[in-house]
Amino acid sequence: TRFDPRTKKFTVFGTANTYDVALDAQDNAWGASGAGKPGLFRVDSKTGNIKIYPVADMKFVRGIEVDAQQNIWFGDVTNHRLGKFDQKTEKMTYYKPPTSNFGPYGIVIDKKTGDLWIADFLGANLNRFNPTTGKFTEYPFPDRKQMDRFFAIDPQGRVWFTDFTNGRIGVLETD
């Protein structure tokens, strides 16, 4: 659904079960779809046409972000991996972190470094991923029963997060 604040009107595109949405440089909406057709989808901003990009053997896509090169990053919770979709080649690439039970949920891209921050919902970590080196850095939560889903980076580079399980807010200072 797109909302135009000037006209105060909504436009609905399709009826897919959507989880998380991000915009690319052409203002196309990218999202995660589930319930029967797991994968990524793109809503063309000019035509409204929807294209689905299936992700093999996956049930749940979480966390959608578009990087400066217009790659689409997403979390594959089912297969415990981070995915990258290259719009130009339509190629999917997957990355596995050190934690075997990795449950990628929310993803935020640090605009200063290009690194991805990933909420590891199942492994009780915050993860930083460097797309240039392919290296993950894990920041385990002190309470291993803590679950993070969404977070943000402030102008000082601190990562603010919510603890879904315990109803708390926290901050990670990486310096």
Side-chain angles (χ1 to χ4, degrees):
T1 303
R2 178 174 53 201
F3 177 71
D4 184 335
R6 293 179 325 241
T7 64
K8 298 186 178 14
K9 295 199 185 230
F10 289 93
T11 304
V12 178
F13 300 95
T15 59
N17 181 5
T18 305
Y19 197 95
D20 213 352
V21 175
L23 298 175
D24 66 17
Q26 289 73 43
D27 210 27
N28 297 314
W30 286 86
S33 99
K37 291 188 176 180
L40 305 176
F41 68 84
R42 182 192 74 215
V43 179
D44 186 288
S45 64
K46 292 174 183 51
T47 66
N49 292 335
I50 298 172
K51 182 167 183 180
I52 295 176
Y53 300 89
V55 179
D57 68 328
M58 185 169 67
K59 294 179 186 156
F60 301 107
V61 179
R62 295 291 186 259
I64 297 288
E65 278 292 327
V66 181
D67 68 18
Q69 293 75 38
Q70 300 307 295
N71 295 306
I72 312 304
W73 292 90
F74 60 94
D76 177 354
V77 178
T78 310
N79 295 304
H80 311 290
R81 61 189 179 181
L82 174 67
K84 179 180 91 171
F85 178 72
D86 183 320
Q87 287 192 63
K88 294 175 194 124
T89 64
E90 296 191 0
K91 179 183 173 194
M92 300 264 187
T93 306
Y94 300 100
Y95 303 88
K96 286 259 198 187
T99 298
S100 60
N101 199 32
F102 178 64
Y105 211 94
I107 299 173
V108 173
I109 297 177
D110 184 327
K111 304 294 186 217
K112 293 179 185 174
T113 66
D115 288 350
L116 281 72
W117 284 91
I118 305 140
D120 181 0
F121 184 72
L122 300 174
N125 298 309
L126 280 177
N127 290 273
R128 182 171 54 201
F129 177 73
N130 181 316
T132 304
T133 65
K135 180 183 176 201
F136 284 88
T137 304
E138 294 182 321
Y139 299 89
F141 291 120
D143 180 350
R144 300 310 289 163
K145 292 180 183 167
Q146 186 166 330
M147 292 180 160
D148 178 32
R149 291 167 66 172
F150 303 107
F151 53 96
I153 301 171
D154 71 15
Q156 291 77 36
R158 296 175 296 194
V159 181
W160 291 87
F161 57 89
T162 57
D163 176 357
F164 178 75
T165 305
N166 301 300
R168 301 179 292 192
I169 295 174
V171 63
L172 171 66
E173 297 186 48
T174 59
D175 290 340

